[in-house]
Amino acid sequence: MRTDIFARLDREPEPPKIEAPRMSRHRIALFGGTLAFYLAIVWAVLITSWLVALDWKVMLFRPYQQWPELHPFLDYYVVLGQRGPTAVMIACWLGWRSWRQHTLRPLLVLGTSLLLLNLSVGAVKLGLGRLGPHYATQIGSAEMFAGGDIFPSGHTANAVVTWGILAYLATTPRARRYLSAVSATVSLGVGLTTVYIGTHWLSDVLLGWAAGLLILLALPWFEPLIARTEAWIFAMRERWRERRGGARPAPVADTGPQPVLLPQSMATDGLTAEAVTAPAEPALPAGHAATGVRARAHTGHPARPGSMPVAPAGVRRPPPHTERGPRAGSPARPMTGG
């Protein structure tokens, strides 16, 4: 019995498995309804139904001529749906959040949504090839498969996704409600502005709203992939830090005091090499000149005769020999009178 318990304790814990979050019934129903609306718009345009006739009526009405005073303001407002400016603004805000929360999830969610937007909307644009109102060739025609790229509206879909990401990443229900209202207002205004200017049909805008909403509703299915990507990036960062830290030079160990060789004149006074020591000099990197005792040891030049090295503190230095004084071991000369 005890062996089984210890075997369980010694067993390494298995890494947690990342599973796709379960979609609520409300989200699944909303996703299915939006997908059905998306397919209905595409079918209505393909068969040149009443929706295409409505497109032509709105275009021939020419809203930019009916309300010209709105044109200067709406020219700037439509920038809120352009891919470059909106992506930069939202990325700066989410980058600050990632730095504060020490996570890459906000930026990875934005990157995933923009990638899905480019793949889905771009493929449909190129596949259907619809021409815009300014390039239409026949009144009442759907202008499909003519080499265009405006169906669905990229401005509208981009506005739904980029501004809707703020509501998707909100941390409180209250903030989510407010940001959802803001993103819906901005995307609705951008879509209607493109119709006002005349760059898109009304059906383009309807399909753009549906395309952007489908991407936001499908994001929870990509959360496991986002989590794995974040874990992989952090693991690569730690490996890079370890490699960078291993390349640093090892610290120099303290070798203690170094013995000093004394001259013969000082050794005769009873001093030994162990009695006088000098502090150890630190190791110098390559390219630097050595100084002090180490410099004299490396130069290999003998000391000049008659020169006396400086004695350390506390050591009695013998008096130097003079020419007039008697030498050691020689008899003193008698003094004579002048």
Side-chain angles (χ1 to χ4, degrees):
M1 183 66 180
R2 295 184 61 183
T3 57
D4 296 340
I5 295 176
F6 286 116
R8 293 180 182 178
L9 293 177
D10 295 338
R11 187 181 304 171
E12 296 182 358
E14 298 180 356
K17 297 181 180 179
I18 302 176
E19 300 179 356
R22 296 182 178 181
M23 301 282 285
S24 62
R25 294 182 179 180
H26 176 73
R27 183 179 286 271
I28 292 176
L30 188 58
F31 183 86
T34 306
L35 181 60
F37 179 77
Y38 184 96
L39 297 176
I41 296 296
V42 174
W43 178 253
V45 174
L46 287 175
I47 64 175
T48 316
S49 65
W50 58 270
L51 185 57
V52 176
L54 180 61
D55 288 340
W56 278 97
K57 289 181 180 179
V58 173
M59 193 274 286
L60 295 176
F61 180 70
R62 290 181 172 82
Y64 59 90
Q65 294 182 356
Q66 301 296 328
W67 302 285
E69 64 276 4
L70 298 178
H71 203 284
F73 168 74
L74 295 180
D75 274 342
Y76 290 99
Y77 183 81
V78 78
V79 177
L80 297 177
Q82 290 184 357
R83 186 74 47 84
T86 55
V88 170
M89 289 188 295
I90 301 301
C92 292
W93 168 252
L94 296 182
W96 181 79
R97 282 189 55 182
S98 298
W99 178 73
R100 287 287 302 273
Q101 299 173 1
H102 302 284
T103 177
L104 295 177
R105 181 174 174 267
L107 290 177
L108 292 176
V109 169
L110 176 63
T112 303
S113 62
L114 293 180
L115 181 60
L116 294 175
L117 180 65
N118 290 334
L119 294 177
S120 59
V121 175
V124 176
K125 278 176 173 285
L126 298 178
L128 298 179
R130 190 182 189 186
L131 293 176
H134 294 309
Y135 302 96
T137 57
Q138 185 179 356
I139 297 178
S141 173
E143 304 293 338
M144 300 290 287
F145 308 106
D149 58 351
I150 56 110
F151 185 67
S153 171
H155 270 70
T156 305
N158 182 73
V160 174
V161 171
T162 52
W163 297 105
I165 285 295
L166 300 179
Y168 179 81
L169 295 174
T171 56
T172 60
R174 182 178 181 181
R176 186 175 296 109
R177 288 193 298 267
Y178 287 156
L179 292 174
S180 297
V182 170
S183 61
T185 303
V186 172
S187 59
L188 180 65
V190 169
L192 295 179
T193 300
T194 59
V195 176
Y196 168 86
I197 297 174
T199 56
H200 280 288
W201 307 98
L202 180 60
S203 57
D204 298 344
V205 175
L206 296 177
L207 196 64
W209 284 331
L213 186 57
L214 285 175
I215 293 174
L216 290 178
L217 293 174
L219 275 179
W221 284 321
F222 294 89
E223 287 291 346
L225 178 61
I226 293 173
R228 293 191 187 97
T229 304
E230 182 183 17
W232 179 80
I233 293 175
F234 283 140
M236 294 299 295
R237 185 189 65 175
E238 293 300 326
R239 292 180 182 177
W240 179 77
R241 287 181 175 179
E242 291 177 359
R243 292 178 181 178
R244 185 181 180 185
R248 297 178 180 176
V252 180
D254 187 10
T255 58
Q258 299 291 335
V260 179
L261 298 179
L262 301 179
Q264 186 177 4
S265 59
M266 295 179 64
T268 56
D269 292 343
L271 297 176
T272 59
E274 291 78 3
V276 181
T277 57
E281 295 185 0
L284 298 177
H288 290 267
T291 58
V293 178
R294 183 171 299 178
R296 293 192 296 272
H298 285 286
T299 53
H301 295 285
R304 291 180 299 175
S307 61
M308 178 66 68
V310 179
V315 178
R316 183 179 180 183
R317 180 177 177 180
H321 298 290
T322 59
E323 295 182 357
R324 296 182 179 180
R327 296 184 181 179
S330 60
R333 291 180 298 177
M335 298 180 62
T336 57

